[in-house]
Amino acid sequence: MKEESLHEDTVVVHTGYDAKLHHGSLSVPLYQTSTFSFETAEQGESRFAGDEAGLIYSRLGNPTVQLLEERITALEEGKGALAFGSGMAAVSSILVHLTKTGDHILCSRGIYGCTFGLLGMLEDKYNITHDLVQMGTEEQIERAIKPETVCIYVETPINPTMELVDLQAVVNVAKRHGLRVVVDNTFSSPYLQKPITLGVDFVLHSATKYINGHGDVIAGLLVGNDEDEMEKIRMSVQKDYGGIISPFDAWLLLRGIKTLPVRMERHTSNAEKIITFLKKQPLVEKIYYPFDVDNPQYAIAKKQMRAGGGLISFTMKGGKEGAQQFLNSLSLIKIAVSLGDAETLIQHPATMTHSVVPYDERISMGIIDSLLRLSVGLEHTDDLIADLNRAFEKVEQSLSKENAK
């Protein structure tokens, strides 16, 4: 059977690997080596000259890493991929590749705190400017484009507000202006959303999150729609900046990605049950989730996503103090800033992931002090809901005492 005809659930298990070439090993071998020996001096010369294909040094290529890159390429329906030592290494590498001094990057209104920090550094050190804008319509995007704009950088859903960006609208505008489009697909994973199929040029992931799924790897992935360009990035930006992934971390990702479809379905079904619970809580003011039928962007979600995933954001009464008391009242659910793990995690974006963002800009992104981000794990929802309910009761009791004074 041709690999192009395989379903995603099969791709994540089998694509790119032939056990016959590895002594029949069912598990992908870990090539934990820094360098590769040559049979002759002439072979070494030929490989360095690019006249002969073959392995040289693990910063330039490693069999375990290459299999991971092949598998994520198939899953995102791209033409090539690169694996990095972190999600931010993937972000910085693609932006370095696309920009030069004096260029402008147009960004979605909300972005990850460290991406915000990187953009600030690029502006301060290299005069590569950026704007964070609302991308609700093609007209809004058009108005924000400048003569020096070279690319559009989008998160969707946006971290942590879960705001959606219509990717087809972005691509339409980008094509009219000859701009490249980069999408951070971390919150959806390629199982729920495939931006390249909509015309996007590059998709990146913090593979630490859903791709890995076990909370034991820091890694990033970049997928592109042009194989030659991806190799150019490998042999220029990645090789010289050095943001590579270790073979062991790549092996762990290959293990994790095998269960991605099953995990995403469980994350999603658990999240839907928790949303039903949250809607009944008097302390909850607003819920942000792509596939919530009450979400004004529900139509966009249905158009470009398979399902809503495992991330929920919500605001609650009591402001920052109420939000922090709620976190401190949880026991099963852990206070931590990652997502996509088997464990359910919760965090306070204003003081954690987005604390680097200045107050006025943070508020304009919708990240207010009462906002919490919940990454729903794989536990039984009855246990998660019981933990959430106990925390709500404690906050409610505290607020009642305050009001009684």
Side-chain angles (χ1 to χ4, degrees), residues 215-345:
D216 52 13
V217 174
I218 300 291
L221 294 166
L222 176 69
V223 185
N225 63 2
D226 185 312
E227 184 177 4
D228 292 338
E229 185 172 21
M230 293 304 294
E231 282 306 304
K232 182 179 178 181
I233 298 171
R234 183 194 306 278
M235 299 310 294
S236 56
V237 179
Q238 189 182 45
K239 175 177 75 70
D240 296 337
Y241 275 68
I244 61 163
I245 192 172
S246 73
F248 181 60
D249 284 349
W251 185 84
L252 288 174
L253 289 179
L254 283 165
R255 175 211 60 183
I257 205 171
K258 286 184 178 182
T259 59
L260 178 65
V262 177
R263 287 188 286 107
M264 293 311 298
E265 289 174 4
R266 179 61 175 263
H267 285 303
T268 299
S269 64
N270 278 1
E272 289 171 347
K273 292 174 184 175
I274 287 176
I275 286 170
T276 300
F277 164 77
L278 290 175
K279 286 187 174 184
K280 299 174 183 175
Q281 301 310 303
L283 289 180
V284 174
E285 295 179 319
K286 271 192 171 183
I287 298 171
Y288 303 94
Y289 185 73
F291 266 62
D292 180 359
V293 293
D294 297 324
N295 182 353
Q297 294 188 307
Y298 180 54
I300 296 175
K302 288 190 71 176
K303 183 170 69 170
Q304 64 193 33
M305 298 175 68
R306 173 183 287 178
L311 280 157
I312 306 166
S313 288
F314 62 94
T315 57
M316 57 182 294
K317 295 174 183 177
K320 175 183 172 182
E321 293 75 17
Q324 290 185 328
Q325 185 184 2
F326 179 78
L327 296 186
N328 295 336
S329 301
L330 295 164
S331 57
L332 181 64
I333 297 170
K334 305 306 178 188
I335 305 170
V337 296
S338 195
L339 60 101
D341 293 343
E343 298 84 359
T344 296
L345 309 175

Side-chain angles (χ1 to χ4, degrees), residues 177-188:
H177 292 267
L179 305 177
R180 315 301 295 280
V181 179
V182 182
V183 172
D184 184 337
N185 201 29
T186 300
F187 269 36
S188 293

Side-chain angles (χ1 to χ4, degrees), residues 17 43 48 52 64 86 92 115 120 126 132 184 194 272 276 301 330 334-335 353 361 364 371 381 401:
Y17 184 62
Q43 184 184 60
F48 268 91
E52 176 184 323
T64 309
S86 71
S92 57
T115 304
Y126 307 112
L132 278 65
D184 184 337
K194 297 182 187 297
E272 289 171 347
T276 300
L330 295 164
K334 305 306 178 188
I335 305 170
T353 53
E361 294 191 61
S364 73
L371 181 72
T381 49
K401 288 179 182 179

Side-chain angles (χ1 to χ4, degrees), residues 20 39 79 115 118 137 178 208 223 241 271 334:
K20 296 174 186 174
E39 293 182 9
K79 299 295 183 183
T115 304
L118 171 66
T137 65
T208 310
V223 185
Y241 275 68
K334 305 306 178 188

Side-chain angles (χ1 to χ4, degrees), residues 63-138:
T64 309
V65 176
Q66 288 172 349
L67 179 56
L68 171 63
E69 292 171 343
E70 187 172 345
R71 201 158 283 181
I72 192 65
T73 297
L75 197 53
E76 280 284 12
E77 299 187 33
K79 299 295 183 183
L82 300 173
F84 293 86
S86 71
M88 284 309 302
V91 174
S92 57
S93 293
I94 188 57
L95 292 182
V96 165
H97 170 68
L98 293 175
T99 62
K100 64 182 185 306
T101 297
D103 284 343
H104 173 256
I105 304 167
L106 185 61
C107 303
S108 53
R109 178 170 69 160
I111 51 174
Y112 174 48
C114 290
T115 304
F116 182 88
L118 171 66
L119 290 168
M121 184 185 71
L122 290 175
E123 186 159 342
D124 292 342
K125 294 176 72 74
Y126 307 112
N127 193 31
I128 298 170
T129 61
H130 66 277
D131 283 305
L132 278 65
V133 301
Q134 177 76 36
M135 294 186 175
T137 65
E138 291 189 23

